[in-house]
Amino acid sequence: MSISDRKIPNVLITGTPGTGKTTLSELLATVTGFQHIVVGDLVKQKELHDGYDEEFDTYILNEDKLNDELEDMLVEGGKIVDFHSCEVFPERFFDIVVLLQTDNSKLYKRLAARGYSQKKITENVECEIMQVVMEEVYDSYKEEIIIRLPSDTVEQMEQNISVIQEKIESYIQAHSA
């Protein structure tokens, strides 16, 4: 089976750190039965990096290693991939791309609660203000597979699950004929 023949979609949940990607992905995996892949964890576990950047407190991603690892995992579909960037992935990997966006004051509080350095908080809040991830999403994927969702409240998260479930069901119906 080639990656383009899958009948069950792969979903990318993306957005600036602190927008709720992991929480939404975990909930979505629970209601859909899809497998949740946290790219940051995968990078650490499988050593898909080129070392650690102390200044930015993060691993230096090796995109080739990551995409080689993900390629086989994504062939059958039914995966929810959770990562703050999308431009590292080939377009063929995902059938639905969800962009989460959060009000900057809420984002600041979430990142501070994680214990992020002031530099890292400022960088991520500026990234959200400048809509860096949104620009990446629209530059990397066809508009018809993108879903932009607000991620400020629990109520919005519950609504977001419903919206994504509907998109998944539509994809499955369209590809099972």
Side-chain angles (χ1 to χ4, degrees):
M1 172 191 299
S2 80
I3 210 161
S4 62
D5 295 332
R6 64 180 164 255
K7 301 201 181 318
I8 300 172
N10 287 319
V11 180
L12 173 64
I13 308 287
T14 192
T16 303
T19 55
K21 295 177 300 298
T22 301
T23 302
L24 181 73
S25 295
E26 289 170 351
L27 291 169
L28 189 60
T30 299
V31 299
T32 61
F34 284 20
Q35 179 187 356
H36 176 205
I37 300 169
V38 181
V39 171
D41 293 348
L42 187 66
V43 166
K44 287 181 239 175
Q45 291 165 358
K46 302 278 188 165
E47 297 184 11
L48 309 174
H49 57 82
D50 295 324
Y52 195 78
D53 184 329
E54 296 290 336
E55 181 183 358
F56 289 101
D57 189 28
T58 189
Y59 286 94
I60 302 164
L61 181 65
N62 183 311
E63 294 177 21
D64 291 333
K65 287 181 182 178
L66 173 62
N67 286 324
D68 286 347
E69 185 71 29
L70 283 174
E71 183 93 36
D72 291 337
M73 296 173 78
L74 298 176
V75 169
E76 292 181 13
K79 305 297 186 287
I80 300 166
V81 176
D82 162 0
F83 196 51
H84 64 269
S85 180
C86 66
E87 65 186 0
V88 301
F89 305 116
E91 185 177 4
R92 71 183 181 279
F93 276 12
F94 301 105
D95 309 293
I96 299 169
V97 176
V98 178
L99 170 64
L100 296 181
Q101 296 181 295
T102 301
D103 175 83
N104 293 319
S105 62
K106 289 182 177 17
L107 184 61
Y108 186 96
K109 290 175 187 171
R110 290 176 187 176
L111 298 175
R114 290 182 180 183
Y116 280 20
S117 68
Q118 187 59 50
K119 179 178 181 169
K120 197 168 182 176
I121 292 171
T122 300
E123 178 183 89
N124 283 305
V125 169
E126 287 175 357
C127 182
E128 187 71 357
I129 290 169
M130 301 300 292
Q131 299 186 328
V132 172
V133 180
M134 183 178 77
E135 190 173 306
E136 278 183 19
V137 167
Y138 282 95
D139 286 348
S140 301
Y141 299 95
K142 293 178 182 146
E143 194 166 338
E144 60 265 17
I145 71 165
I146 300 169
I147 308 171
R148 276 178 63 188
L149 298 170
S151 185
D152 295 326
T153 66
V154 172
E155 294 79 20
Q156 286 175 336
M157 187 166 295
E158 290 169 357
Q159 178 64 30
N160 293 347
I161 293 290
S162 296
V163 168
I164 299 164
Q165 278 184 286
E166 287 175 22
K167 187 78 167 178
I168 289 170
E169 288 168 14
S170 293
Y171 180 94
I172 291 169
Q173 286 178 351
H175 290 84
S176 60

